Amino acid sequence: MSYHPPMTGLDTTLHDLVHNAVDGKPVSRATALAMLGDDMPLLPLAHAAGLVRRHHFGNRVQVHVLNNVQNGACPEDCGYCGQAKTSDAPIQAYKLKSREEILDEAEQAARSGAFRYCMVLSGRGPSDSDIDHMADCIREVKERYGIQTCLSSGLMDADKARRLADAGLDRLNHNLNTSAGHYPSICTTHTYGDRVETLRAAREAGLSLCSGMIVGMGEAKADVVEVAAAARDLRIDSIPVNFLVPIPGNDVVQPSIADATLTPAFCVRVLCMFRFMNPDAEVRVAAGREGHLRSLQALAMEPANSLFVDGYLLTRGDGPLPTLRMLRDAGFDIELEGAEWNEAVRTLVSNGALDTFALDEQVPSDLAVLKEDRLSERKLAKLRIT
Ligand code: SF4
């Protein structure tokens, strides 16, 4: 399907940017930086980014669910992570799930029509026995259910990456998280270079790569651009863009950008910049969507073509209904990915029930539209009788 973006209404700069991006020519660092500033009007920028996204992904939005197969007790000190040894965040640690548990959850994912099953292990990196365990599970998931598999398990060398690829793993997630220059400010127990080495090892093993960042850890706009450029240079297939969620007890708590304000508009600009820097990559709105983008969530889906529901590794997020309604209201086609999509949600997506008038998550009762302190008990009583 060749999609020729309608370029009418775009100023020459945006017109050229869209043209180049559609031809696979990413923007320069200088232009990327300009996208993070107020000189470039937000709505035309988001519209232009949407044209590039539709050239590669049409009007579709992939909706993902995350599955944590090992939690907490990590020897690393990543300042933004509630699982770090330095964090006092009150999270429940649990060991690597058993083969049965992981396969059960994969079955649920497969039965509910999932395209990809994403598994996440906390920790510096998987041991040889972890690799054997996960390789065994992945082989079985592929054999039994034939769905795509993705694993996030920390630092690893080429041998471990190859053993996972041989077992049938499709994609490896390993976020760069921030720029090389800013990395020592968020973590001291491993380096940015260690993370790049893991991605290179995975690429050599033939794995698809998923690697993104956490915006709002005190970095500068130029650092955000550096991560987008690194993703382009490493030919990353899928880029989750997180916005820092303040977890009490962590070292890096207060979301901030050194030379800008982390407003919903700025977050949309970041997503647009990632789209123009990586025109054909999957750009995913990840953690912090609800709290940072707020009323601009639908606009954020112009540059981005996927998101998570039901929360993130440690933090809450909106459930399926408000998220799917937001997508449908904005006119996007919904692709349900990942685990545990119950039939009710599938039906809502397919039969248009998402399109009816709604005040909140629950299917509305018609009285809910009235302010409680305006209700007349007498008339209510009459209504109840009838
Ligand atoms: S991000 Fe990963 S490596 Fe870093 S502390 Fe958290 S679980 Fe450990």
Side-chain angles (χ1 to χ4, degrees):
M1 169 200 81
S2 66
Y3 167 84
H4 298 292
M7 304 289 230
T8 45
L10 288 182
D11 68 19
T12 42
T13 317
L14 287 173
H15 179 286
D16 298 347
L17 292 178
V18 170
H19 220 304
N20 293 343
V22 163
D23 291 348
K25 299 191 207 91
V27 295
S28 67
R29 279 177 170 76
T31 306
L33 204 54
M35 288 178 176
L36 301 184
D38 296 333
D39 300 345
M40 225 182 242
L42 179 66
L43 294 185
L45 174 64
H47 170 60
L51 295 176
V52 179
R53 157 252 211 275
R54 282 180 180 78
H55 178 74
H56 295 289
F57 301 97
N59 202 37
R60 300 183 306 283
V61 172
Q62 293 177 351
V63 182
H64 292 253
V65 173
L66 270 177
N67 183 11
N68 230 357
V69 295
Q70 175 175 281
N71 203 47
C74 179
E76 300 295 294
D77 68 352
C78 307
Y80 55 85
C81 182
Q83 307 182 78
K85 67 176 180 183
T86 45
S87 172
D88 300 328
I91 60 148
Q92 177 62 48
Y94 54 78
K95 292 198 170 353
L96 186 52
K97 288 181 179 175
S98 69
R99 185 174 189 278
E100 289 60 42
E101 286 172 299
I102 293 174
L103 292 179
D104 281 356
E105 285 157 12
E107 184 184 2
Q108 284 170 31
R111 239 186 307 109
S112 66
F115 170 77
R116 181 176 295 114
Y117 180 51
C118 306
M119 298 161 276
V120 182
L121 277 77
S122 60
R124 176 183 172 83
S127 63
D128 275 323
S129 62
D130 291 343
I131 291 286
D132 292 341
H133 179 73
M134 292 314 297
D136 173 40
C137 292
I138 289 161
R139 207 173 284 113
E140 204 57 26
V141 168
K142 299 295 287 182
E143 220 154 274
R144 291 190 191 183
Y145 312 117
I147 50 179
Q148 293 262 313
T149 52
C150 174
L151 182 68
S152 177
S153 60
L155 304 172
M156 71 174 68
D157 59 20
D159 168 59
K160 286 177 176 167
R162 211 175 7 264
R163 283 154 61 190
L164 291 169
D166 293 348
L169 182 66
D170 302 284
R171 178 175 278 180
L172 188 94
N173 164 266
H174 195 58
N175 288 340
L176 290 170
N177 284 327
T178 191
S179 68
H182 192 64
Y183 209 86
S185 333
I186 63 155
C187 178
T188 65
T189 47
H190 63 266
T191 67
Y192 177 88
D194 293 333
R195 290 198 165 242
V196 171
E197 276 321 301
T198 293
L199 289 168
R200 290 219 167 94
R203 175 67 82 199
E204 265 161 47
L207 293 170
S208 160
L209 298 183
C210 174
S211 184
M213 84 168 287
I214 302 175
V215 179
M217 300 195 287
E219 73 280 359
K221 290 187 286 188
D223 294 301
V224 181
V225 170
E226 274 317 306
V227 178
R232 180 197 59 203
D233 300 343
L234 290 161
R235 294 178 292 111
I236 300 294
D237 309 291
S238 155
I239 307 173
V241 180
N242 302 273
F243 300 98
L244 183 73
V245 178
I247 298 177
N250 282 1
D251 291 348
V252 181
V253 177
Q254 197 43 49
S256 67
I257 299 279
D259 51 357
T261 313
L262 195 57
T263 60
F266 181 82
C267 297
V268 173
R269 289 180 179 285
V270 168
L271 294 162
C272 291
M273 186 275 292
F274 267 92
R275 173 56 62 201
F276 275 106
M277 207 37 129
N278 300 270
D280 59 357
E282 185 188 320
V283 175
R284 184 171 318 135
V285 185
R289 166 172 61 88
E290 298 83 348
H292 282 286
L293 279 158
R294 300 198 292 270
S295 57
L296 295 190
Q297 292 180 53
L299 185 64
M301 302 319 295
E302 284 300 319
N305 66 297
S306 81
L307 47 65
F308 287 109
V309 292
D310 263 352
Y312 309 97
L313 281 186
L314 297 177
T315 54
R316 296 169 189 279
D318 280 352
L321 211 49
T323 303
L324 300 178
R325 270 213 170 98
M326 177 268 287
L327 294 172
R328 177 76 114 212
D329 293 351
F332 290 107
D333 304 327
I334 297 169
E335 282 184 354
L336 296 180
E337 300 275 352
E340 294 160 24
W341 289 107
N342 62 38
E343 216 31 56
V345 171
R346 287 195 167 281
T347 317
L348 277 173
V349 168
S350 53
N351 73 7
L354 286 170
D355 305 336
T356 54
F357 172 79
L359 257 188
D360 56 30
E361 278 224 355
Q362 308 314 317
V363 177
S365 77
D366 34 14
L367 280 179
V369 293
L370 294 170
K371 281 184 171 177
E372 274 193 32
D373 62 358
R374 294 282 185 284
L375 291 175
S376 132
E377 279 309 320
R378 184 176 54 75
K379 289 189 180 155
L380 267 181
K382 219 164 121 220
L383 265 181
R384 288 200 188 102
I385 296 163
T386 51

